[in-house]
Amino acid sequence: MSETSKSPAFWRSFPIFEDFDGETIARLASLAHYRKWPAGTVLFQRGDEGQELIAVLSGRIKLSLITPQGRELVLRSIEPGALFGEMSVLDGQPRSADAVTVAPTEAYVIGKAAFLDLVTHRPAAAEAIIRHICGMLRETNDRLETLALYELNARVARFFLTLLRQLHGTDLPPEAHLRLSLSQSDIAGILGASRPKVNRAILALEEAGAIRRGADGVIACLLHPLMRLAEPDEA
């Protein structure tokens, strides 16, 4: 097992584990197994039994659904430092989406039986997990609100703000930088729009002075203009 997998700070960096005590964190680390996959690996498909949760070290994983019309709907992009797969492990229900690596990916995995045994015998850990699940439900509500109530320019602005807060926390500086690993097609799938419309919305944000795209792929985001576009009714 590598030093990373033994580090309490590494495991507490995941919200689901941040309130675990030292003994529980140490036990959790002992359950983890290192895995590495090339790009294009199907980790699981919708309907599969959830056998493990996955803590991503490097690479990127796409969670998506295929609609009855054959269109792919990207639900989420899993980046380094994120954990996923815990829902099926916890509730025993089948996987709700397909998971495919879109870049060479390294991760630690923890098997379902071992994880549930750990949680069952540690009530404080179970309480921390309940708080995590509640947070996920609130995040889902926010995403549904974004899709239902805001026009596309505002949805793209809110999308950028969400990414910035994930990187920099809630106290954002007047100008923050973002390197997108998602394509415009990926963003379109997340926001429920077409790629050309997302491209036009990004151009609109640029013309409004909310973002500046650099030649190196880094996007400079201007907080106040971006927030005005994200909440047009409050401008």
Side-chain angles (χ1 to χ4, degrees):
M1 186 179 297
S2 76
E3 292 303 314
T4 297
S5 70
K6 296 177 184 178
S7 167
F10 170 74
W11 290 105
R12 286 201 177 97
S13 69
F14 302 104
I16 191 172
F17 305 137
E18 64 183 357
D19 292 333
F20 281 17
D21 61 36
E23 183 182 347
T24 303
I25 284 288
R27 176 59 182 157
L28 181 76
S30 74
L31 302 176
H33 300 280
Y34 173 80
R35 296 286 299 276
K36 184 177 182 179
W37 305 282
T41 301
V42 178
L43 302 185
F44 54 77
Q45 293 181 299
R46 185 179 187 182
D48 289 350
E49 183 179 352
Q51 293 287 359
E52 57 195 16
L53 54 85
I54 302 171
V56 181
L57 290 169
S58 66
R60 183 157 63 94
I61 298 165
K62 176 177 63 177
L63 297 184
S64 64
L65 295 173
I66 303 299
T67 69
Q69 295 75 30
R71 176 173 173 257
E72 183 181 41
L73 176 62
V74 179
L75 301 175
R76 185 180 170 197
S77 180
I78 309 295
E79 306 285 348
L83 180 138
F84 74 106
E86 71 275 32
M87 294 297 290
S88 288
V89 166
L90 289 169
D91 69 10
Q93 296 298 308
R95 298 293 193 189
S96 59
D98 301 340
V100 180
T101 61
V102 295
T105 299
E106 298 174 284
Y108 288 115
V109 301
I110 298 177
K112 175 180 179 179
F115 183 69
L116 290 180
D117 182 69
L118 174 71
V119 173
T120 299
H121 292 92
R122 298 175 188 266
E127 291 175 8
I129 289 171
I130 290 170
R131 288 193 294 272
H132 169 73
I133 298 300
C134 290
M136 292 178 65
L137 288 173
R138 292 179 186 276
E139 181 180 333
T140 298
N141 287 342
D142 288 343
R143 290 183 63 186
L144 290 173
E145 179 188 29
T146 294
L147 287 174
L149 301 181
Y150 294 87
E151 51 87 26
L152 186 56
N153 288 2
R155 279 148 59 188
V156 173
R158 289 168 68 88
F159 176 76
F160 278 119
L161 286 169
T162 297
L163 293 181
L164 289 171
R165 288 173 180 133
Q166 289 174 355
L167 289 172
H168 302 287
T170 55
D171 188 16
L172 293 175
E175 180 174 325
H177 293 85
L178 179 67
R179 184 184 292 276
L180 277 181
S181 58
L182 297 170
S183 69
Q184 288 188 5
S185 295
D186 291 335
I187 297 171
I190 292 169
L191 296 180
S194 67
R195 189 198 63 76
K197 288 183 178 179
V198 166
N199 181 53
R200 288 196 293 271
I202 291 174
L203 287 173
L205 264 60
E206 197 166 22
E207 291 169 358
I211 63 172
R212 295 193 307 269
R213 288 186 285 183
D216 56 358
V218 174
I219 301 175
C221 299
L222 291 305
L223 180 61
H224 296 299
L226 202 57
M227 291 181 69
R228 283 197 299 270
L229 289 168
E231 300 287 350
D233 292 338
E234 297 182 8

